[in-house]
Amino acid sequence: MCLCPGSHPGSGAQAGEAGAMSAEGWDTGPGGHPGASGAGPCPPGTASAPWSLPHWRACLAAAVLCYINLLNYMNWFIVAGMLLDIQNFFQISDSNAGLLQTVFICSLLLSAPVFGYLGDRHGRKATLSVGILLWSGAGLSSSFISPQVLPCLEAVALILLIALVPDPPRGAAEKQEEVAMGALRSSWCEDVRYLGRNWSFVWSTLGVTAIAFVTGALGFWAPKFLFEARVVHGLQLPCLQDLCNEQDSLIFGILTVVTGIIGVVLGAEASRRYKKVNPRAESLICAYSLLIAAPCLYLALILAPVTLLASYVFLALGELLLSCNWAVVADILLSVVVPRCRGTAEALQITVGHILGDASSPYLTGLVSSTLRAGRPDSYLQSFLSLQQSFLGCTFVIALAGGCFLLTALRLERDQARARQLDTGTPGSKDTESQALLSGTGAAAKDP
């Protein structure tokens, strides 16, 4: 008796990991067991018909998943939208205000590695449902801002997930790996060791972390920065009461949504076209966009006390260029990591990126602002300048992110080839260690 994997899904398996509802089936032999075709070698080309969904059903499932992700970000940025009101009500400094966001994000991320590991080995729909239940329960028990609204929306999301999103069978690529590796499951520690030796994954994760650091600081502090810039220009009275004018939060939110949508589409399309002539297109698109975004953000900060219009223009350009990376970095991860480790890889990248990125940057930016303000006269202008100067460090972080993706480009093709070899069960002699780590045998071979 032998186990026969389905045909190699190629890029379709990668799309399946990102949300497309398609996977190859397994050959079913006598007795109903996968690949049980009697003694002797497996007959070629006996894979069953692909599992698929009607187009409208796939679009509906994608819309539900987008709705769930939207609620996730609404939870993350609700404090930023009311930051001035919170600071006035509790009389807290910038450093303490930034600490609110840091503690909130860190508490949400404690379970990410666990759920990533479970998603690699169990039903993803069930894992996601449990995650939403825990997430909405934590938000309900800890939030003092409109607690009756978001939990209701999250309950609707859970119902829609259960009712409308199917749970597709595991991809054929994962089953091929099990056959090639002797159907042995690797442990979480072995998966992490494999990812730690995957340099494209390591450098791209550091790049994503730097991007998250900047976007976290912008998302939390930019509305207050723009409000204080309007005060400096005499267009707005200082906010000294409990309820402040949140017009700048609304403008910045609209700007972020519009540039985010355009940036994601633009980055994905540029990567698709550029990849036809350069196999390292994904990492180079990320690097170029970030290296251009750094001076845009710098000019947005420097010009804010001089002209608000120019500051908004360069801020929009910077956010557009930052948004070009989100779809592309997902492609990088899917192309350099074998399917059975992708859930763990996503969880690790999310955890590291958020804890060292947008969980830390609001507090660090606020801490620098409070430190600078403590040695200056107590005035609104000095408060604005302190926040402006604390933001300048983000421009250097963006440049570092660009450097990380340049380093990713140096290893990208090699790591993609290695992932394809392990995926199809035909690793070369140079991949003995990676194969051993994934198969759980504990064999070690020195990486050249």
Side-chain angles (χ1 to χ4, degrees):
M1 182 181 295
C2 66
L3 295 177
C4 302
S7 60
H8 187 267
S11 59
Q14 298 177 0
E17 294 294 326
M21 305 301 176
S22 177
E24 297 287 343
W26 274 44
D27 178 40
T28 304
H33 298 291
S37 54
C42 298
T46 57
S48 60
W51 181 88
S52 62
L53 282 175
H55 179 70
W56 67 268
R57 181 77 185 279
C59 292
L60 187 61
V64 172
L65 295 176
C66 288
Y67 170 66
I68 294 172
N69 205 33
L70 174 65
L71 294 179
N72 177 38
Y73 279 95
M74 287 174 64
N75 268 292
W76 285 42
F77 290 103
I78 192 171
V79 175
M82 304 184 66
L83 181 59
L84 289 170
D85 294 329
I86 293 173
Q87 283 190 283
N88 287 334
F89 183 83
F90 290 102
Q91 293 296 304
I92 56 177
S93 64
D94 287 348
S95 60
N96 288 331
L99 189 60
L100 285 175
Q101 187 78 347
T102 297
V103 173
F104 174 71
I105 295 178
C106 288
S107 64
L108 286 179
L109 290 173
L110 293 177
S111 59
V114 176
F115 278 84
Y117 180 81
L118 294 175
D120 274 337
R121 288 154 176 79
H122 303 284
R124 289 167 181 155
K125 181 176 178 179
T127 303
L128 185 58
S129 300
V130 174
I132 294 174
L133 190 62
L134 294 177
W135 150 38
S136 59
L140 179 63
S141 63
S142 62
S143 176
F144 59 88
I145 303 172
S146 301
Q148 71 278 11
V149 177
L150 282 177
C152 294
L153 296 176
E154 289 156 3
V156 172
L158 182 59
I159 294 172
L160 291 176
L161 175 68
I162 296 173
L164 300 179
V165 178
D167 194 7
R170 309 296 291 192
E174 293 168 319
K175 295 171 182 175
Q176 276 188 319
E177 279 189 278
E178 291 180 6
V179 174
M181 304 293 183
L184 294 175
R185 279 291 190 182
S186 57
S187 68
W188 185 82
C189 291
E190 289 164 341
D191 288 352
V192 172
R193 286 180 59 199
Y194 158 72
L195 294 171
R197 295 177 183 272
N198 187 326
W199 285 106
S200 293
F201 172 77
V202 172
W203 287 119
S204 62
T205 297
L206 292 176
V208 169
T209 302
I211 297 173
F213 185 94
V214 176
T215 56
L218 283 175
F220 193 79
W221 290 112
K224 181 181 179 180
F225 174 79
L226 296 172
F227 178 88
E228 293 186 345
R230 287 168 58 86
V231 174
V232 170
H233 282 276
L235 302 175
Q236 176 74 47
L237 293 175
C239 178
L240 302 175
Q241 300 178 357
D242 291 344
L243 296 179
C244 301
N245 184 352
E246 303 294 343
Q247 176 184 356
D248 297 287
S249 292
L250 181 61
I251 294 174
F252 179 74
I254 295 173
L255 191 67
T256 301
V257 170
V258 173
T259 56
I261 294 174
I262 297 175
V264 167
V265 175
L266 183 62
E269 183 63 17
S271 175
R272 185 184 69 84
R273 292 177 179 271
Y274 188 31
K275 195 172 183 179
K276 295 178 181 179
V277 296
N278 192 330
R280 298 178 294 176
E282 294 102 332
S283 53
L284 293 177
I285 288 290
C286 292
Y288 297 156
S289 62
L290 291 169
L291 292 175
I292 300 173
C296 288
L297 180 58
Y298 179 81
L299 290 173
L301 296 172
I302 294 298
L303 294 176
V306 180
T307 166
L308 272 178
L309 178 60
S311 179
Y312 268 107
V313 170
F314 282 108
L315 180 61
L317 286 175
E319 287 203 286
L320 177 67
L321 291 167
L322 286 173
S323 299
C324 288
N325 293 272
W326 295 122
V328 183
V329 294
D331 286 342
I332 293 175
L333 185 147
L334 292 175
S335 67
V336 300
V337 177
V338 292
R340 66 189 292 180
C341 290
R342 285 175 184 165
T344 300
E346 288 275 8
L348 285 177
Q349 192 170 88
I350 289 172
T351 303
V352 174
H354 286 312
I355 289 182
L356 299 181
D358 53 357
S360 302
S361 60
Y363 172 68
L364 293 176
T365 303
L367 179 63
V368 172
S369 176
S370 295
T371 303
L372 293 174
R373 188 175 180 181
R376 296 176 174 178
D378 187 11
S379 68
Y380 223 88
L381 176 60
Q382 294 302 322
S383 173
F384 166 75
L385 293 176
S386 298
L387 186 57
Q388 178 200 44
Q389 292 163 10
S390 68
F391 255 136
L392 291 176
C394 291
T395 61
F396 298 100
V397 175
I398 295 178
L400 288 176
C404 288
F405 282 106
L406 288 177
L407 292 172
T408 303
L410 297 178
R411 293 289 303 234
L412 185 65
E413 291 181 86
R414 179 179 179 181
D415 290 333
Q416 286 176 334
R418 176 173 295 183
R420 285 193 296 268
Q421 288 172 342
L422 291 173
D423 184 8
T424 57
T426 58
S429 59
K430 296 183 179 180
D431 296 308
T432 307
E433 182 174 16
S434 297
Q435 185 183 15
L437 289 175
L438 286 172
S439 64
T441 61
K446 188 175 181 180
D447 189 47

